[in-house]
Amino acid sequence: MNSKVFDRPVYLRERSELIREITCLEDAIDFLEEWPERDRDIVHDAALKTCYMAFDGHKPVKTGRNAIRSFGEKKGILMKSPGVMPWMIRSRSGGGRLSA
């Protein structure tokens, strides 16, 4: 198992209709690296540095998760866990059962 995986995902709104699930330090770093340069500030810099330090083993993974979560909260893009996960939705084509 990858030791850089969060115990619980963080959900951040990318656009009005798109929510991104951040499940590990790699996801958090990618999200922060993709953040528009014109919108970067001290909050962004601190979150990115913290995630890199956690990725390199200098800080706990939980600290990286807290950093990306705090970033999302301060930017107003932190979302609650979706009420219905994709695996909870019943398929229209037989519900996933196989015939014997």
Side-chain angles (χ1 to χ4, degrees), residues 45-83:
D45 291 344
L48 186 59
K49 286 178 186 175
T50 301
C51 287
Y52 271 122
M53 290 180 77
F55 184 81
D56 291 338
H58 301 293
K59 291 191 178 281
V61 172
K62 185 175 183 175
T63 303
R65 182 187 183 279
N66 290 342
I68 190 70
R69 191 175 186 290
S70 293
F71 174 80
E73 189 172 14
K74 288 179 179 161
K75 296 297 181 180
I77 60 171
L78 180 66
M79 305 298 293
K80 291 183 179 181
S81 176

Side-chain angles (χ1 to χ4, degrees), residues 2-3 10 14 16 27 35 58 61 65-66 71 84 92 95 100:
N2 186 347
S3 62
V10 174
E14 276 191 295
S16 61
D27 291 348
W35 194 255
H58 301 293
V61 172
R65 182 187 183 279
N66 290 342
F71 174 80
V84 178
R92 294 178 190 225

Side-chain angles (χ1 to χ4, degrees), residues 15-70:
R15 293 187 291 271
S16 61
E17 298 296 322
L18 183 63
I19 297 173
R20 188 156 163 187
E21 180 182 51
I22 309 294
T23 61
C24 61
L25 288 169
E26 292 89 345
D27 291 348
I29 290 168
D30 287 345
F31 184 86
L32 292 167
E33 288 287 357
E34 293 168 6
W35 194 255
E37 295 225 11
R38 68 183 180 280
D39 295 334
R40 294 182 184 189
D41 56 10
I42 194 166
V43 174
H44 174 272
D45 291 344
L48 186 59
K49 286 178 186 175
T50 301
C51 287
Y52 271 122
M53 290 180 77
F55 184 81
D56 291 338
H58 301 293
K59 291 191 178 281
V61 172
K62 185 175 183 175
T63 303
R65 182 187 183 279
N66 290 342
I68 190 70
R69 191 175 186 290
S70 293

